[in-house]
Each structure stands twice: as C-alpha cells, then as structure tokens.
Amino acid sequence: MRGGRERWIGSLRLRRFDEVNLVLSGGAAKGIAHIGVLKALGELGIRVKRVSGVSAGAIVATFFSAGYTPDRMLELLESVNWLKLLRPKPSRFGLISWEGAKAFLRKHLPVRRLEELSIPTYLCASDLYTGRAVYFSRGEIIPALLGSCAIPGIFEPVSLGDYLLVDGGVVNNLPVEPLEKKKEPLVCVDVLPLSEERRIKNLFHVLVRSFFLAVRSNAEKRREMCDVLIVPPLNEFSHIDVRRAREIFRRGYEETLRVFNSLTAGKEK
C-alpha cells in the first residue's frame, strides 16, 4: 500500500470510487486474464481513467483504449491464426519476425498514435542501449507496442528513435511508475505468479519459461505501490496456452469480482 494519502481500502469504506488507474503486467498468454479483469470492472461500474501496460498487458491496454470491449477483444484473439501471425523467420536478432504482427495491428487498430487513444495509455519497454525502462504515452503505437512485447532472443528488437527496444518486463513487469502520483486508486493486475511448469518440450518453451522466471522478481517490490492487487489463479496454464483463452479470461474476471466483493464486504461490516 502507498503511504501519504488516503488508502484505497479505507477510502472504499467511506465512499465509492468510480474511477481507477490500472496497471497490467506482462505474462504472454496469461495476459488474456487482463481482458477478464476489464470485463469485471465494467460490470462493477468502475471506469478506467488511465492505463499502464507491459508486453501482453500493453496489448490489452492498447486495444481497450482504442475502443474495443472485452468481449470484442476476446473474439478477435480467438480468431487469430497464431502460427501464421508469428511465423518463424530466424535472423541475427531473433527467431520470429514482426511482419505478421505489424499487418495485424495496422488492420485492427483504428488509430495510429498513442495520443489518439480514448484513454491515456502508457506502454513500457526496455531500452537495450541504456538498460532502462521507457514509458511511451505519445508517438506511433505499433513500434512502441511491439517493442514492449519483444522477448529477447525470440522476437527481433524494435528500433524507435534513439532506443533499441525489447520486452518491458526485462526491467519492469508491473509498470506502476507512470501512474503512482495520480490521485485515483491504483489497481494492479499481476498475471505472473511463481508456478511450476512441466510442459517444456522445445527451445521456444525453454526460452519463454526462462525469460518469465527472470522477470518475475522485478514486480515484487512494485506490488507494494498498488492500492488494490489482483493476482488471478493461473498456475495451471502455460505462457503459450492461447487455445485456453476463455478459461484464462474467466480466471481474471472471477478474481476481480472476488477482490472487489471482499472490499465491499469490508465496507459493510
């Protein structure tokens, strides 16, 4: 919990908040749970005023801020031919080219610049040159978004201005920093708890699993900066379980309702 101002739980007991700032972590396919979180927040009548996301969380944040409803996002996700979209094309810097993803984003995003989104949105990426996190809230969406998702060794880094971008989770997998000084309650969703994974069958699985084990620790200290923390139970899912999208979506949805109902129960006591 953050100090120096009225805490979320204490505030909730006094009055209802209609607006929150939202932070969405990375987590590959587990990030589908973020869509369920947004669905639940909408049903609870809670409006997202600003959103900060990294990797999978950056994708969900961008499409939500571009006007997609959670149901529409889930339908689009389930319609994707992932093998075609992320076709292997080894190069000096990665195993997978971004060409398919670029075409997909150009087709489905109604705007091209971050400042044109309907909700202020911050995308977190890591700059290979400086080793620091970079937060984009203005400029072209597609290179910033792809940079935020570029898992090193798997996807090609993205050159943008003076930066060479890789997955933001390398430095910051729970990007609270752009929103920590805003007055609204800070709701964070971390879809990357430590879990056991037995389904490791090829080099791609090894690289993805190793990456997420490495980045998980940098989110721990940032959890303390959140007013409300939502951690959907996703241990049984792998980072590439896109075929189980509905189940992952449901976990995010149900956990969000559980967390906010428990806060409401505390208010009524």
Side-chain angles (χ1 to χ4, degrees):
M1 287 286 185
R2 288 177 289 176
R5 72 176 191 176
E6 199 174 34
R7 291 183 176 183
W8 163 264
I9 294 177
S11 299
L12 186 63
R13 290 174 180 158
L14 297 175
R15 63 185 178 90
R16 177 183 174 80
F17 272 105
D18 295 319
E19 295 182 328
V20 299
N21 293 320
L22 185 64
V23 179
L24 304 177
S25 78
K30 294 186 180 186
I32 298 167
H34 293 315
I35 306 175
V37 171
L38 288 166
K39 174 81 170 177
L41 290 177
E43 291 184 0
L44 291 166
I46 299 172
R47 187 174 81 90
V48 176
K49 188 167 184 180
R50 303 176 189 87
V51 60
S52 174
V54 60
S55 201
I59 297 173
V60 173
T62 299
F63 275 85
F64 182 68
S65 297
Y68 278 72
T69 65
D71 289 333
R72 188 182 172 200
M73 274 192 275
L74 187 60
E75 290 171 4
L76 178 62
L77 188 152
E78 290 181 319
S79 72
V80 172
N81 182 332
W82 292 98
L83 291 178
K84 183 178 180 181
L85 183 68
L86 303 176
R87 183 172 296 169
K89 187 179 178 182
S91 70
R92 288 190 303 161
F93 298 109
L95 300 176
I96 298 175
S97 166
W98 284 121
E99 292 309 309
K102 288 178 183 177
F104 176 85
L105 293 173
R106 283 193 293 265
K107 178 179 178 180
H108 293 287
L109 285 175
V111 297
R112 293 290 176 262
R113 298 184 63 83
L114 284 160
E115 57 267 35
E116 296 172 342
L117 295 171
S118 61
I119 299 171
T121 302
Y122 302 83
L123 306 182
C124 174
S126 302
D127 178 26
L128 272 181
Y129 292 141
T130 65
R132 296 176 180 174
V134 185
Y135 306 98
F136 295 96
S137 59
R138 300 182 65 82
E140 293 184 57
I141 292 174
I142 292 177
L145 182 55
L146 295 181
S148 180
C149 302
I151 297 176
I154 296 179
F155 296 101
E156 295 174 334
V158 177
S159 180
L160 179 57
D162 294 330
Y163 305 115
L164 185 62
L165 303 175
V166 294
D167 195 297
V170 170
V171 178
N172 185 354
N173 204 48
L174 196 66
V176 300
E177 283 81 353
L179 304 178
E180 63 175 318
K181 295 183 180 179
K182 307 298 183 183
K183 65 178 181 179
E184 295 80 13
L186 189 59
V187 176
C188 303
V189 188
D190 189 353
V191 299
L192 205 60
L194 182 63
S195 62
E196 187 173 293
E197 177 57 69
R198 296 284 179 177
R199 293 168 292 176
I200 300 175
K201 301 179 180 179
N202 55 46
L203 176 61
F204 183 79
H205 292 172
V206 170
L207 291 173
V208 171
R209 173 65 171 170
S210 299
F211 171 76
F212 284 115
L213 285 174
V215 307
R216 176 184 165 273
S217 61
N218 70 48
E220 291 296 324
K221 62 181 180 181
R222 292 180 170 91
R223 286 185 174 198
E224 300 175 2
M225 301 166 69
C226 306
D227 294 311
V228 175
L229 178 65
I230 299 170
V231 185
L234 300 171
N235 287 351
E236 68 192 76
F237 303 98
S238 81
H239 298 296
I240 59 172
D241 264 341
V242 289
R243 289 179 296 180
R244 301 176 70 184
R246 291 261 165 192
E247 296 174 68
I248 298 172
F249 169 92
R250 176 63 58 176
R251 294 294 177 88
Y253 173 81
E254 292 176 347
E255 182 63 10
T256 302
L257 293 180
R258 187 196 69 78
V259 168
F260 278 91
N261 285 338
S262 68
L263 291 177
T264 303
K267 171 185 174 182
E268 293 173 348
K269 289 181 179 179

